[in-house]
Amino acid sequence: MKSSIRRSRRAAVAVALGSVLALTATACGDDGSGSAGDKGNEGSGKGEITFWDNNGGVRTDIWKEIIADFEKKNPDIKVNYVGIPAASAQSKYDTAIQGGGLPDVGGVGTAMLAEVAVQGALEPLDSRLAKSPLNGKLSQNLLNSSRAAGGGGKLYQIPTSSNNGTLWYRTDLFKKAGLDAPTTWTKFYEAADKLTNKSKNQFGFTIRGGEGSIAPALDASFSQSGITSFWNGDKTTVNDPKNVAALEKYVALYKKDTPSADVNNDFTKMVAQWDSGTIGMLSHNLGSYQDHLKALGADKFRGLPNPTQEDGTRVQISNPVDGLSVFKSSKNKSAAWKFVEFALSHEENSKFNQSAGQIPANTEAAQDAWIQQAEPTKLAAAALNGADTKIVQLPYYLPDWNTISKADNEPNFQKVLLGKMTAKEFLDTLADQLNKAQADWKKNH
């Protein structure tokens, strides 16, 4: 069943690509844009452009504010806003690629970037960025993630923001136990043990065993092992002996220093459990900050980037990156690019990310006062943009990535926690699937 799901997924992309090639350059949507087979043109740099927000509803207000700022500065350009719920953004783009009606510019996250790019829908942006005032002002790590996610080395997305893994810890519990902040993995494991008192239902850590468990597990593995590349040639490094040893140590925390309910917990349940006040540490991203603030108050917790190795080396997996893409079929690419440049400017990118609670891609925006006042975001931005931070790029470009990292292996990770599968068996199974998916991708690209 699982292999047939993946075959269907690949077939769907192939059909979509075939449909694109069959479309003529005259197939146009209501907004004046065409299908992925339409090469578009630069246009006058004036007139109307259409922008698709891939997180409509959640981000509608802030995008309308940015659009109003843009139109005030560029009175000869009108931006038509279309808000699309995040859950349906991929299918909306796929439909427009095959049938016409693509926007001039739109939000395209790294999770869907490769599938949109492989269908010929996106304009490469390397040369535009090279000649732009933005050149040198965007996070290099985020640009690297955008390139890697596109699957071909070209830049099909200008990153706007990213999240980052964060280790939330109870400062009051740490102080009471005489513990140092969990800045390294040694200090993390020491705290997990010392803060656990099962007779009082107190635990040092909560581990993610339910939906969304694979990324935190891989983050813990690579971060401890120090391996900085997901691939060694055409073979993945996920089952390297150093990663196996790291994962074994991490999963050994289950039921020893964590609640037994963790085997089924997704992030919502983990956050609620941690906010109840009986658990010392929680690994989650910046998105839960307001929940913690409301539940605990500012003086009882802190958020740090995930632990480093003993020598301070920081290795972390890539987080999904939000960004803007220009569509190849646009009849006014110059105006679309002006909008991208404006949205990524210092002031506007700062405004967007303050609203979204994420890390700005613009490095000047990442120094703004609101970030300096929000310590977890400040530290996350410093870690993400740090020259010594090594980012392990996850293969978002693989059509099978989401299936492999969710449907195929989340149940297997639960088996590891329950002792029904070893960490090595889990990572070997994951590696086998990834190696096959990589070989298939290379064969077709």
Side-chain angles (χ1 to χ4, degrees):
M1 174 62 75
K2 290 173 182 174
S3 62
S4 67
I5 289 173
R6 289 197 288 274
R7 285 196 297 271
S8 297
R9 187 173 176 80
R10 288 195 291 268
V13 173
V15 169
L17 183 56
S19 299
V20 166
L21 296 175
L23 288 165
T24 65
T26 58
C28 298
D30 294 336
D31 61 0
S33 296
S35 66
D38 187 343
K39 295 182 179 179
N41 55 62
E42 283 298 300
S44 65
K46 301 178 181 180
E48 294 189 13
I49 58 172
T50 294
F51 165 62
W52 282 9
D53 172 11
N54 63 325
N55 200 1
V58 177
R59 302 280 182 254
T60 296
D61 289 345
I62 186 61
W63 273 120
K64 286 191 172 181
E65 188 176 334
I66 292 171
I67 288 169
D69 292 346
F70 175 76
E71 291 178 340
K72 185 176 181 179
K73 188 172 181 179
N74 299 272
D76 51 0
I77 302 175
K78 175 178 171 52
V79 180
N80 298 311
Y81 171 88
V82 178
I84 302 168
S88 57
Q90 175 73 66
S91 61
K92 180 77 170 175
Y93 280 127
D94 285 343
T95 299
I97 286 170
Q98 296 181 56
L102 284 165
D104 299 278
V105 59
V108 181
T110 48
M112 71 173 83
L113 185 64
E115 287 195 33
V116 177
V118 76
Q119 296 179 74
L122 301 179
E123 179 81 359
L125 299 173
D126 303 82
S127 61
R128 293 180 193 268
L129 179 59
K131 295 179 286 189
S132 170
L134 292 175
N135 192 27
K137 294 185 177 181
L138 301 179
S139 164
Q140 190 58 52
N141 279 335
L142 291 190
L143 285 169
N144 291 344
S145 292
S146 294
R147 280 199 175 86
K154 292 183 179 179
L155 188 64
Y156 290 110
Q157 175 218 56
I158 301 297
T160 55
S161 55
S162 181
N163 221 317
N164 205 55
T166 301
L167 183 64
W168 303 99
Y169 74 100
R170 290 287 304 273
T171 51
D172 54 344
L173 299 182
F174 270 67
K175 183 177 180 180
K176 185 178 179 180
L179 289 164
D180 292 334
T183 53
T184 67
W185 282 102
T186 297
K187 292 178 179 178
F188 165 81
Y189 283 112
E190 179 189 356
D193 279 337
K194 195 166 184 179
L195 293 174
T196 298
N197 187 335
K198 293 182 183 179
S199 66
K200 295 183 179 180
N201 198 38
Q202 295 173 354
F203 298 93
F205 184 57
T206 173
I207 194 169
R208 189 166 181 168
E211 184 180 358
S213 62
I214 303 304
L218 291 179
D219 209 4
S221 299
F222 281 96
S223 180
Q224 292 179 83
S225 73
I227 295 170
T228 58
S229 176
F230 196 83
W231 300 102
N232 181 9
D234 290 331
K235 301 297 182 182
T236 181
T237 60
V238 295
N239 62 335
D240 182 283
K242 290 182 180 179
N243 275 333
V244 173
L247 186 62
E248 286 173 343
K249 189 172 184 179
Y250 184 68
V251 299
L253 293 172
Y254 176 64
K255 286 205 299 186
K256 179 172 78 76
D257 294 327
T258 81
S260 59
D262 279 354
V263 70
N264 293 313
N265 283 351
D266 59 11
F267 87 90
T268 304
K269 293 174 184 173
M270 288 170 58
V271 168
Q273 189 170 256
W274 191 72
D275 287 346
S276 70
T278 60
I279 299 174
M281 296 178 290
L282 160 73
S283 184
H284 190 238
N285 57 46
L286 295 169
S288 54
Y289 176 65
Q290 291 300 327
D291 291 325
H292 308 325
L293 199 60
K294 186 183 298 183
L296 302 171
D299 60 339
K300 290 185 179 179
F301 76 96
R302 285 183 72 197
L304 301 174
N306 284 334
T308 68
Q309 297 183 328
E310 289 308 298
D311 62 359
T313 301
R314 184 179 304 285
V315 179
Q316 63 184 61
I317 63 170
S318 57
N319 281 270
V321 176
D322 290 329
L324 296 176
S325 297
V326 174
F327 285 80
K328 191 175 289 186
S329 59
S330 170
K331 302 300 189 293
N332 202 344
K333 294 176 189 175
S334 57
W337 177 248
K338 283 182 185 178
F339 179 71
V340 173
E341 283 186 314
F342 184 83
L344 266 296
S345 65
H346 176 172
E347 182 179 350
E348 301 300 321
N349 192 233
S350 181
K351 183 186 299 185
F352 175 83
N353 282 285
Q354 185 173 12
S355 171
Q358 295 184 314
I359 303 168
N362 187 302
T363 53
E364 293 175 339
Q367 301 301 316
D368 282 356
W370 68 269
I371 287 187
Q372 307 310 308
Q373 293 162 8
E375 186 193 41
T377 308
K378 174 185 176 182
L379 295 174
L384 186 65
N385 295 318
D388 296 330
T389 298
K390 309 299 182 184
I391 306 290
V392 179
Q393 299 294 344
L394 296 183
Y396 296 119
Y397 60 87
L398 293 177
D400 294 344
W401 169 249
N402 285 335
T403 301
I404 292 171
S405 63
K406 291 186 70 64
D408 283 6
N409 284 289
E410 285 178 356
N412 283 345
F413 186 68
Q414 290 180 315
K415 290 180 182 178
V416 176
L417 294 179
L418 295 170
K420 297 178 179 179
M421 177 181 267
T422 67
K424 185 178 188 305
E425 288 170 340
F426 168 74
L427 291 176
D428 282 345
T429 299
L430 178 61
D432 182 60
Q433 294 168 342
L434 288 165
N435 290 337
K436 288 176 180 176
Q438 174 77 347
D440 185 71
W441 185 82
K442 293 197 79 170
K443 179 181 178 182
N444 290 289
H445 292 78

